[in-house]
Coordinates of all heavy atoms in Angstrom, one line a residue:
M1 N -4.3 14.9 8.6 CA -3.5 14.0 9.3 C -3.4 12.7 8.5 O -4.5 12.1 8.2 CB -4.0 13.7 10.6 CG -3.0 12.9 11.6 SD -3.5 13.0 13.3 CE -3.6 11.3 13.7
N2 N -2.2 12.1 8.3 CA -2.1 10.9 7.6 C -2.4 9.7 8.6 O -2.3 9.8 9.7 CB -0.7 10.7 7.1 CG -0.3 11.7 6.2 OD1 -1.1 12.4 5.5 ND2 1.0 12.0 6.0
T3 N -2.9 8.7 7.9 CA -3.4 7.4 8.7 C -2.6 6.2 8.3 O -2.4 5.9 7.2 CB -4.7 7.2 8.4 OG1 -5.6 8.3 8.6 CG2 -5.4 6.1 9.2
F4 N -2.0 5.6 9.5 CA -1.1 4.5 9.3 C -2.1 3.2 8.8 O -3.2 3.0 9.2 CB -0.6 3.9 10.6 CG 0.2 2.7 10.5 CD1 1.4 2.6 10.0 CD2 -0.3 1.4 11.1 CE1 2.2 1.5 9.9 CE2 0.4 0.4 11.0 CZ 1.7 0.4 10.5
I5 N -1.6 2.5 7.7 CA -2.2 1.3 7.1 C -1.6 0.0 7.6 O -2.3 -0.9 8.2 CB -2.3 1.4 5.7 CG1 -3.1 2.7 5.2 CG2 -3.0 0.1 5.0 CD1 -3.0 2.9 3.7
C6 N -0.3 -0.2 7.4 CA 0.3 -1.4 7.8 C 1.8 -1.3 7.5 O 2.3 -0.2 7.1 CB -0.1 -2.6 6.8 SG 0.4 -2.4 5.1
I7 N 2.6 -2.4 7.9 CA 4.0 -2.5 7.6 C 4.0 -3.6 6.6 O 3.6 -4.7 6.7 CB 4.8 -2.8 8.8 CG1 4.7 -1.7 9.9 CG2 6.3 -3.2 8.6 CD1 5.4 -1.8 11.2
V8 N 4.8 -3.4 5.4 CA 4.9 -4.3 4.3 C 5.6 -5.5 4.8 O 6.7 -5.5 5.5 CB 5.8 -3.6 3.2 CG1 5.9 -4.6 2.2 CG2 4.9 -2.4 2.6
E9 N 5.0 -6.6 4.6 CA 5.4 -7.9 4.8 C 5.9 -8.7 3.5 O 6.8 -9.7 3.6 CB 4.5 -8.9 5.6 CG 4.2 -8.3 7.0 CD 3.2 -9.1 7.7 OE1 2.7 -10.2 7.2 OE2 2.8 -8.7 8.8
D10 N 5.2 -8.3 2.4 CA 5.6 -9.0 1.1 C 5.1 -8.0 -0.1 O 4.4 -7.1 0.2 CB 4.9 -10.2 0.9 CG 5.6 -11.2 0.0 OD1 6.6 -10.9 -0.6 OD2 5.2 -12.3 0.0
V11 N 6.0 -8.1 -1.2 CA 5.6 -7.2 -2.3 C 5.8 -8.2 -3.6 O 6.5 -9.0 -3.7 CB 6.8 -6.1 -2.5 CG1 6.5 -5.2 -3.7 CG2 6.9 -5.4 -1.2
F12 N 4.7 -7.8 -4.3 CA 4.6 -8.7 -5.7 C 4.6 -7.7 -6.8 O 3.8 -6.8 -6.8 CB 3.3 -9.5 -5.7 CG 3.1 -10.5 -4.5 CD1 2.5 -10.0 -3.3 CD2 3.8 -11.7 -4.5 CE1 2.4 -10.8 -2.3 CE2 3.7 -12.4 -3.4 CZ 2.9 -12.1 -2.3
Q13 N 5.6 -7.9 -7.7 CA 5.5 -7.0 -8.8 C 4.6 -7.5 -9.9 O 4.7 -8.7 -10.3 CB 6.9 -6.8 -9.4 CG 7.1 -5.8 -10.5 CD 8.6 -5.4 -10.7 OE1 9.4 -5.5 -9.8 NE2 8.9 -5.0 -11.9
I14 N 3.8 -6.6 -10.5 CA 2.8 -7.1 -11.4 C 3.4 -6.9 -12.9 O 4.4 -6.2 -13.1 CB 1.4 -6.3 -11.3 CG1 0.9 -6.4 -9.9 CG2 0.4 -6.7 -12.3 CD1 0.6 -7.9 -9.4
A15 N 2.7 -7.4 -14.0 CA 3.2 -7.2 -15.2 C 3.7 -5.7 -15.4 O 3.2 -4.8 -14.8 CB 2.0 -7.5 -16.1
P16 N 4.6 -5.5 -16.4 CA 5.2 -4.2 -16.6 C 4.1 -3.1 -16.8 O 3.2 -3.2 -17.6 CB 6.0 -4.4 -17.9 CG 6.4 -5.8 -17.9 CD 5.2 -6.6 -17.3
G17 N 4.3 -2.0 -16.1 CA 3.5 -0.9 -16.3 C 2.3 -1.0 -15.2 O 1.5 0.0 -15.0
R18 N 2.0 -2.1 -14.6 CA 0.8 -2.2 -13.6 C 1.2 -1.8 -12.2 O 0.3 -1.3 -11.6 CB 0.3 -3.7 -13.7 CG -0.3 -4.1 -15.0 CD -2.0 -3.8 -14.9 NE -2.5 -4.5 -13.8 CZ -3.6 -4.0 -13.1 NH1 -4.1 -3.0 -13.5 NH2 -4.1 -4.9 -12.2
G19 N 2.3 -1.9 -11.8 CA 2.7 -1.6 -10.5 C 3.0 -2.8 -9.6 O 3.3 -3.8 -10.0
C20 N 3.0 -2.5 -8.3 CA 3.3 -3.6 -7.2 C 2.3 -3.7 -6.2 O 1.6 -2.8 -5.9 CB 4.6 -3.1 -6.5 SG 6.1 -3.1 -7.6
V21 N 2.0 -4.9 -5.8 CA 1.0 -5.2 -4.8 C 1.8 -5.4 -3.4 O 2.7 -6.1 -3.4 CB 0.2 -6.6 -5.2 CG1 -0.7 -6.9 -3.9 CG2 -0.6 -6.3 -6.5
I22 N 1.3 -4.8 -2.4 CA 1.9 -4.9 -1.0 C 1.0 -5.7 -0.3 O -0.3 -5.6 -0.4 CB 2.2 -3.5 -0.5 CG1 0.9 -2.7 -0.2 CG2 3.2 -2.8 -1.1 CD1 1.0 -1.5 0.6
A23 N 1.6 -6.4 0.8 CA 0.8 -7.3 1.8 C 1.4 -7.1 3.2 O 2.6 -6.8 3.2 CB 0.8 -8.6 1.3
P24 N 0.7 -7.0 4.1 CA -0.7 -7.4 4.1 C -1.7 -6.5 3.4 O -2.7 -6.9 3.1 CB -1.0 -7.6 5.7 CG 0.0 -6.7 6.3 CD 1.2 -6.7 5.4
G25 N -1.6 -5.1 3.6 CA -2.5 -4.3 3.1 C -3.4 -3.7 4.2 O -3.1 -3.6 5.3
L26 N -4.7 -3.4 3.9 CA -5.7 -2.8 4.6 C -6.4 -3.9 5.5 O -6.9 -4.7 4.9 CB -6.7 -2.0 3.8 CG -7.7 -1.2 4.5 CD1 -7.2 -0.1 5.3 CD2 -8.8 -0.8 3.4
P27 N -6.3 -3.7 6.7 CA -7.0 -4.8 7.7 C -8.6 -4.7 7.2 O -9.2 -3.8 7.1 CB -6.9 -4.2 9.0 CG -5.7 -3.4 9.0 CD -5.6 -2.7 7.6
V28 N -9.1 -6.0 7.1 CA -10.5 -6.0 6.6 C -11.5 -5.5 7.7 O -12.6 -5.0 7.3 CB -10.9 -7.5 6.4 CG1 -10.2 -8.1 5.3 CG2 -10.7 -8.4 7.7
D29 N -11.1 -5.4 8.9 CA -11.9 -4.7 9.9 C -11.8 -3.2 10.2 O -12.3 -2.6 11.1 CB -11.9 -5.5 11.3 CG -10.4 -5.4 11.8 OD1 -9.5 -4.8 11.2 OD2 -10.2 -6.0 13.0
S30 N -11.0 -2.6 9.2 CA -10.6 -1.1 9.3 C -11.8 -0.3 8.8 O -12.6 -0.9 7.8 CB -9.5 -0.8 8.5 OG -9.2 0.5 8.4
D31 N -12.1 0.8 9.3 CA -13.1 1.8 8.7 C -12.6 2.5 7.6 O -13.2 3.2 6.9 CB -13.5 2.7 9.9 CG -14.3 2.0 11.0 OD1 -14.9 1.0 10.7 OD2 -14.2 2.5 12.2
L32 N -11.1 2.4 7.4 CA -10.5 3.3 6.2 C -11.1 2.7 4.9 O -11.4 1.4 4.7 CB -9.0 3.1 6.1 CG -8.2 3.8 7.2 CD1 -6.8 3.4 7.0 CD2 -8.5 5.2 7.1
R33 N -11.2 3.6 3.9 CA -11.4 3.2 2.5 C -10.4 3.7 1.6 O -10.0 4.9 1.7 CB -12.9 3.7 2.1 CG -14.0 3.2 2.9 CD -14.2 1.8 2.6 NE -15.3 1.2 3.5 CZ -15.0 0.4 4.5 NH1 -13.9 0.1 4.8 NH2 -15.9 -0.2 5.2
I34 N -9.8 2.9 0.8 CA -8.8 3.3 -0.1 C -9.3 2.9 -1.5 O -9.7 1.9 -1.9 CB -7.5 2.5 0.2 CG1 -7.0 2.7 1.5 CG2 -6.5 2.7 -1.0 CD1 -5.9 1.9 1.9
G35 N -9.3 4.1 -2.4 CA -9.7 3.9 -3.8 C -8.5 4.2 -4.8 O -7.5 4.9 -4.4
S36 N -8.8 3.9 -6.0 CA -7.8 4.2 -7.0 C -7.5 5.7 -7.0 O -8.6 6.5 -7.1 CB -8.3 3.7 -8.4 OG -7.4 4.0 -9.4
G37 N -6.3 6.0 -7.1 CA -5.9 7.5 -7.1 C -5.6 8.2 -5.7 O -5.2 9.2 -5.5
D38 N -6.0 7.4 -4.6 CA -5.7 8.0 -3.3 C -4.1 8.0 -3.0 O -3.5 7.1 -3.5 CB -6.3 7.0 -2.1 CG -7.8 7.1 -2.1 OD1 -8.4 8.2 -2.7 OD2 -8.4 6.4 -1.4
G39 N -3.7 9.0 -2.4 CA -2.3 9.2 -2.2 C -1.9 8.3 -1.0 O -2.5 8.0 0.0
I40 N -0.7 7.7 -1.2 CA -0.1 6.8 -0.3 C 1.4 7.2 0.1 O 2.1 7.6 -0.9 CB -0.1 5.3 -0.8 CG1 -1.4 4.9 -1.2 CG2 0.7 4.4 0.0 CD1 -2.3 4.5 0.1
L41 N 1.8 7.3 1.2 CA 3.2 7.6 1.7 C 3.8 6.3 2.1 O 3.2 5.6 3.0 CB 3.1 8.7 2.8 CG 4.5 9.0 3.3 CD1 5.3 9.6 2.4 CD2 4.3 9.9 4.6
L42 N 4.9 5.9 1.6 CA 5.8 5.0 2.1 C 7.0 5.3 2.9 O 7.7 6.3 2.4 CB 6.3 4.2 0.9 CG 5.1 3.5 -0.1 CD1 5.8 2.9 -1.3 CD2 4.3 2.6 0.6
K43 N 7.1 4.9 4.1 CA 8.3 5.3 4.9 C 9.2 4.1 5.1 O 8.8 3.2 5.7 CB 7.8 5.8 6.3 CG 6.9 7.0 6.3 CD 6.5 7.4 7.8 CE 5.7 8.7 7.8 NZ 5.5 9.1 9.1
R44 N 10.3 4.2 4.2 CA 11.1 3.0 4.1 C 12.0 2.8 5.4 O 12.2 3.8 6.0 CB 12.1 3.1 2.9 CG 11.2 3.1 1.7 CD 12.2 3.2 0.5 NE 11.9 4.4 -0.2 CZ 12.2 4.7 -1.5 NH1 13.1 3.9 -2.0 NH2 11.9 5.8 -2.0
P45 N 12.3 1.5 5.8 CA 13.1 1.4 7.1 C 14.6 2.0 7.0 O 15.0 2.3 8.0 CB 13.2 -0.2 7.1 CG 12.6 -0.7 5.9 CD 11.9 0.3 5.1
D46 N 15.1 2.4 5.8 CA 16.3 2.9 5.7 C 16.3 4.5 5.7 O 17.3 5.2 5.5 CB 17.0 2.4 4.4 CG 16.4 2.8 3.0 OD1 15.3 3.2 3.2 OD2 16.9 2.5 2.1
G47 N 15.1 4.9 5.9 CA 14.9 6.5 6.1 C 14.2 7.2 4.9 O 13.3 8.1 5.2
P48 N 14.5 7.0 3.7 CA 13.7 7.8 2.6 C 12.2 7.5 2.7 O 11.9 6.4 2.9 CB 14.3 7.4 1.2 CG 15.6 6.6 1.6 CD 15.4 6.1 3.0
E49 N 11.5 8.6 2.3 CA 10.0 8.4 2.0 C 9.7 8.6 0.6 O 10.3 9.3 -0.2 CB 9.2 9.5 3.0 CG 9.5 9.3 4.4 CD 8.7 10.2 5.2 OE1 8.1 11.2 4.6 OE2 8.7 10.1 6.5
L50 N 8.6 8.0 0.1 CA 8.2 8.0 -1.2 C 6.6 8.2 -1.3 O 5.8 7.4 -0.6 CB 8.5 6.6 -1.9 CG 8.1 6.4 -3.3 CD1 8.8 7.4 -4.3 CD2 8.4 5.1 -3.7
E51 N 6.2 9.2 -2.0 CA 4.8 9.3 -2.2 C 4.3 8.6 -3.5 O 5.0 8.6 -4.6 CB 4.4 10.7 -2.3 CG 4.4 11.4 -0.9 CD 3.8 12.7 -0.9 OE1 3.0 13.1 -1.8 OE2 4.2 13.6 0.1
T52 N 3.2 7.9 -3.5 CA 2.7 7.3 -4.7 C 1.3 7.3 -4.7 O 0.6 8.0 -3.9 CB 3.3 5.9 -4.8 OG1 2.9 5.3 -6.1 CG2 2.8 5.0 -3.8
I53 N 0.6 6.6 -5.4 CA -0.9 6.5 -5.4 C -1.4 5.0 -5.5 O -0.7 4.1 -6.0 CB -1.7 7.2 -6.7 CG1 -1.2 6.6 -8.0 CG2 -1.5 8.7 -6.7 CD1 -1.9 7.2 -9.1
A54 N -2.6 4.7 -4.9 CA -3.0 3.5 -5.0 C -3.8 3.3 -6.4 O -4.4 4.2 -6.9 CB -4.2 3.3 -3.9
R55 N -3.6 2.1 -6.9 CA -4.2 1.8 -8.2 C -5.4 0.9 -8.0 O -6.3 0.7 -8.9 CB -3.3 1.2 -9.1 CG -2.2 2.1 -9.8 CD -1.6 1.7 -11.0 NE -0.9 2.6 -11.6 CZ 0.2 2.4 -12.5 NH1 0.6 1.3 -12.7 NH2 0.8 3.4 -13.0
G56 N -5.6 0.4 -6.6 CA -6.8 -0.5 -6.6 C -6.4 -1.3 -5.4 O -5.3 -1.3 -4.8
I57 N -7.4 -2.3 -5.0 CA -7.2 -3.2 -3.9 C -7.7 -4.6 -4.4 O -8.5 -4.7 -5.3 CB -7.9 -2.9 -2.6 CG1 -9.4 -2.6 -2.8 CG2 -7.3 -1.6 -2.0 CD1 -10.2 -2.4 -1.6
A58 N -7.2 -5.6 -3.8 CA -7.7 -7.0 -4.2 C -8.7 -7.4 -3.4 O -8.6 -7.4 -2.1 CB -6.4 -8.0 -4.2
M59 N -9.9 -7.8 -3.9 CA -11.0 -8.0 -3.2 C -11.5 -9.5 -3.1 O -12.2 -9.8 -2.3 CB -12.3 -7.2 -3.7 CG -12.1 -5.8 -3.7 SD -12.1 -5.2 -2.0 CE -13.7 -5.7 -1.4
G60 N -10.9 -10.4 -3.9 CA -11.2 -11.8 -4.0 C -11.0 -12.6 -2.7 O -10.0 -12.3 -2.1
G61 N -11.7 -13.4 -2.3 CA -11.5 -14.4 -1.3 C -11.4 -13.7 0.2 O -10.6 -14.0 1.0
L62 N -12.3 -12.6 0.5 CA -12.1 -12.0 1.7 C -12.4 -12.7 2.9 O -11.9 -12.5 4.0 CB -13.0 -10.7 1.7 CG -12.7 -9.6 0.8 CD1 -13.8 -8.5 0.8 CD2 -11.3 -9.0 1.2
R63 N -13.0 -13.9 2.8 CA -13.4 -14.6 4.0 C -12.3 -15.3 4.7 O -12.2 -15.5 5.8 CB -14.4 -15.7 3.8 CG -15.9 -15.2 3.5 CD -16.7 -16.3 3.3 NE -17.0 -16.3 1.8 CZ -17.3 -17.3 1.0 NH1 -17.4 -18.6 1.5 NH2 -17.5 -17.3 -0.3
K64 N -11.1 -15.4 3.9 CA -10.0 -16.2 4.6 C -9.0 -15.1 4.8 O -7.8 -15.5 5.3 CB -9.5 -17.2 3.5 CG -10.6 -18.3 3.3 CD -10.0 -19.2 2.4 CE -11.0 -20.3 2.0 NZ -10.6 -21.2 1.0
R65 N -9.1 -13.9 4.6 CA -8.1 -12.9 4.7 C -8.3 -11.9 6.0 O -9.6 -11.8 6.5 CB -8.0 -11.9 3.6 CG -7.5 -12.5 2.3 CD -7.5 -11.5 1.3 NE -7.1 -12.2 0.0 CZ -7.1 -11.5 -1.1 NH1 -7.3 -10.2 -1.2 NH2 -6.9 -12.2 -2.2
T66 N -7.1 -11.5 6.5 CA -7.3 -10.6 7.7 C -6.9 -9.1 7.2 O -7.3 -8.2 7.8 CB -6.3 -10.8 8.8 OG1 -5.0 -10.9 8.3 CG2 -6.7 -12.2 9.5
A67 N -6.4 -9.0 5.9 CA -6.1 -7.9 5.2 C -6.3 -7.9 3.7 O -6.2 -9.0 3.3 CB -4.8 -7.3 5.6
I68 N -6.4 -6.8 3.1 CA -6.7 -6.6 1.7 C -5.4 -6.0 1.1 O -5.1 -4.9 1.3 CB -8.0 -5.7 1.4 CG1 -9.2 -6.3 2.1 CG2 -8.1 -5.7 -0.1 CD1 -10.3 -5.4 2.2
P69 N -4.6 -6.9 0.2 CA -3.4 -6.2 -0.4 C -3.9 -5.0 -1.3 O -4.9 -4.9 -1.8 CB -3.1 -7.4 -1.3 CG -3.6 -8.6 -0.6 CD -4.8 -8.2 -0.1
I70 N -2.9 -4.1 -1.4 CA -3.1 -2.9 -2.2 C -2.2 -2.8 -3.5 O -1.0 -3.1 -3.1 CB -2.8 -1.7 -1.3 CG1 -3.7 -1.8 0.1 CG2 -3.0 -0.4 -2.0 CD1 -3.2 -0.8 1.1
L71 N -2.7 -2.4 -4.6 CA -1.8 -2.2 -5.7 C -1.3 -0.7 -5.7 O -2.3 0.1 -5.7 CB -2.7 -2.5 -7.0 CG -2.0 -2.3 -8.4 CD1 -0.7 -3.1 -8.5 CD2 -2.9 -2.5 -9.5
L72 N -0.1 -0.6 -5.7 CA 0.5 0.8 -5.8 C 1.2 1.1 -7.3 O 1.5 0.1 -7.9 CB 1.6 1.0 -4.8 CG 1.2 0.7 -3.3 CD1 2.4 0.8 -2.5 CD2 0.0 1.7 -2.9
A73 N 1.2 2.4 -7.6 CA 1.9 2.7 -8.9 C 3.2 2.9 -8.8 O 3.8 4.0 -9.0 CB 1.1 4.2 -9.2
I74 N 3.8 1.8 -8.5 CA 5.3 1.8 -8.4 C 5.8 0.7 -9.2 O 5.3 -0.4 -9.1 CB 5.8 1.5 -6.9 CG1 5.4 2.7 -6.1 CG2 7.3 1.4 -6.9 CD1 6.0 2.7 -4.6
A75 N 6.7 0.9 -10.2 CA 7.1 0.0 -11.2 C 8.1 -1.2 -10.7 O 8.1 -2.3 -11.2 CB 7.7 0.7 -12.4
D76 N 8.9 -0.8 -9.7 CA 9.9 -1.7 -9.3 C 9.7 -2.0 -7.7 O 9.8 -1.2 -6.9 CB 11.2 -1.1 -9.5 CG 12.4 -2.1 -9.2 OD1 12.2 -3.2 -8.7 OD2 13.6 -1.5 -9.5
K77 N 9.6 -3.4 -7.6 CA 9.4 -3.7 -6.2 C 10.5 -3.5 -5.3 O 10.3 -3.4 -4.1 CB 8.9 -5.2 -6.0 CG 10.0 -6.2 -6.3 CD 9.4 -7.6 -6.0 CE 10.5 -8.6 -5.9 NZ 9.9 -10.0 -5.4
A78 N 11.7 -3.3 -5.8 CA 12.9 -2.9 -5.0 C 12.6 -1.6 -4.3 O 13.4 -1.3 -3.3 CB 14.2 -2.9 -5.8
E79 N 11.7 -0.7 -4.8 CA 11.5 0.6 -4.1 C 10.8 0.3 -2.9 O 10.5 1.4 -2.2 CB 10.7 1.4 -5.1 CG 11.6 1.9 -6.2 CD 10.9 2.9 -7.2 OE1 10.6 4.0 -6.6 OE2 10.6 2.6 -8.3
I80 N 10.3 -0.8 -2.6 CA 9.3 -1.0 -1.4 C 9.9 -2.2 -0.8 O 9.5 -3.3 -0.6 CB 7.9 -1.4 -1.8 CG1 7.3 -0.5 -2.9 CG2 7.0 -1.4 -0.6 CD1 6.1 -0.9 -3.4
P81 N 11.0 -1.9 0.2 CA 11.6 -2.9 1.0 C 10.6 -3.5 2.2 O 9.8 -2.7 2.6 CB 12.7 -2.3 1.7 CG 12.6 -0.9 1.6 CD 11.7 -0.7 0.3
I82 N 10.7 -4.7 2.6 CA 10.1 -5.3 3.6 C 10.3 -4.4 4.8 O 11.5 -4.0 5.0 CB 10.5 -6.8 4.0 CG1 10.3 -7.7 2.6 CG2 9.8 -7.3 5.1 CD1 8.9 -7.7 2.1
G83 N 9.3 -4.2 5.6 CA 9.4 -3.3 6.8 C 9.1 -1.8 6.5 O 9.0 -1.0 7.4
T84 N 8.6 -1.5 5.4 CA 8.2 -0.3 5.0 C 6.8 0.1 5.6 O 6.0 -0.7 5.6 CB 8.1 0.0 3.5 OG1 9.4 -0.1 3.0 CG2 7.6 1.2 3.0
E85 N 6.8 1.4 6.2 CA 5.3 1.6 6.8 C 4.7 2.3 5.6 O 5.0 3.0 4.9 CB 5.6 2.8 7.8 CG 6.3 2.3 9.1 CD 6.3 3.4 10.2 OE1 5.8 4.5 10.0 OE2 7.0 3.1 11.0
V86 N 3.3 2.0 5.6 CA 2.4 2.5 4.5 C 1.3 3.3 5.2 O 0.8 2.9 6.2 CB 1.7 1.2 3.8 CG1 0.8 1.7 2.8 CG2 2.6 0.3 3.3
W87 N 1.2 4.6 4.7 CA 0.3 5.6 5.2 C -0.6 6.0 4.1 O -0.2 6.3 3.0 CB 1.1 6.7 5.8 CG 1.9 6.4 6.9 CD1 3.1 5.8 7.0 CD2 1.6 6.6 8.4 NE1 3.6 5.6 8.3 CE2 2.7 6.1 9.2 CE3 0.6 7.3 9.1 CZ2 2.8 6.3 10.5 CZ3 0.6 7.4 10.4 CH2 1.8 6.9 11.2
L88 N -2.0 6.3 4.6 CA -2.9 6.9 3.7 C -2.7 8.3 3.8 O -2.9 9.0 4.9 CB -4.2 6.5 3.9 CG -5.4 7.1 3.1 CD1 -5.3 6.8 1.7 CD2 -6.8 6.7 3.7
L89 N -2.4 9.1 2.7 CA -2.3 10.7 2.7 C -3.7 11.1 2.7 O -4.6 11.0 2.0 CB -1.5 11.1 1.6 CG 0.0 10.8 1.6 CD1 0.5 11.2 0.2 CD2 0.6 11.4 2.6
Q90 N -4.0 12.1 3.8 CA -5.2 12.8 3.8 C -5.4 14.0 3.0 O -6.4 14.5 2.7 CB -5.5 13.1 5.3 CG -5.6 11.9 6.2 CD -6.6 11.0 5.8 OE1 -7.8 11.3 5.5 NE2 -6.3 9.6 5.7
A91 N -4.3 14.5 2.4 CA -4.3 15.7 1.7 C -4.6 15.5 0.4 O -4.6 16.4 -0.5 CB -2.8 16.4 1.7
G92 N -5.0 14.2 -0.1 CA -5.2 14.1 -1.6 C -4.2 13.2 -2.3 O -3.3 12.8 -1.7
P93 N -4.4 13.0 -3.5 CA -3.5 12.1 -4.2 C -2.1 12.7 -4.4 O -1.9 13.9 -4.4 CB -4.1 12.1 -5.7 CG -5.5 12.4 -5.6 CD -5.6 13.4 -4.3
A94 N -1.2 11.7 -4.4 CA 0.2 12.2 -4.6 C 0.5 12.3 -6.1 O -0.5 12.1 -6.9 CB 1.1 11.0 -4.1
S95 N 1.6 12.8 -6.4 CA 2.0 13.2 -7.8 C 2.4 12.0 -8.7 O 2.5 12.2 -9.9 CB 2.9 14.3 -7.8 OG 4.1 13.9 -7.1
S96 N 2.7 10.9 -8.1 CA 3.2 9.8 -9.1 C 2.5 8.5 -8.8 O 1.8 8.3 -7.9 CB 4.8 9.7 -8.8 OG 5.0 9.3 -7.5

């Protein structure tokens, strides 16, 4: 069963080839663990779904955060509109 993580409030595109960071990300008080290569499902507000993988999480400055932003293997932030639901895939890594 897939596990809900968050609804995207902001997206930052990183240098070419690195991916996009989504916020808010994983709540700091969550028992979930997300690692590089974990499968992520994005359910966009306009209907289409997109599978991708996590490339990592941002760990700096946790004392001031309520959530940890997640770096995804998506090259164009336009693919992740605000309001997109983010789910951790339990079946293993996605293909892209």
Side-chain angles (χ1 to χ4, degrees):
M1 184 166 129
N2 299 333
T3 306
F4 178 75
I5 298 172
C6 70
I7 294 178
V8 174
E9 295 176 4
D10 209 348
V11 181
F12 306 93
Q13 193 164 328
I14 306 300
R18 286 268 302 146
C20 292
V21 175
I22 58 163
L26 181 67
V28 294
D29 59 358
S30 174
D31 291 333
L32 285 177
R33 297 294 173 252
I34 298 175
S36 183
D38 285 348
I40 300 290
L41 175 65
L42 302 175
K43 295 183 179 183
R44 297 181 242 191
D46 59 351
E49 296 183 354
L50 175 66
E51 287 189 24
T52 188
I53 58 171
R55 286 203 169 151
I57 57 173
M59 293 300 293
L62 288 180
R63 283 184 259 149
K64 299 177 184 176
R65 294 186 188 172
T66 58
I68 305 165
I70 305 167
L71 175 62
L72 300 178
I74 293 182
D76 185 356
K77 75 178 200 170
E79 294 186 60
I80 313 170
I82 303 303
T84 296
E85 293 181 9
V86 182
W87 294 78
L88 177 63
L89 292 174
Q90 298 301 315
S95 59
S96 60

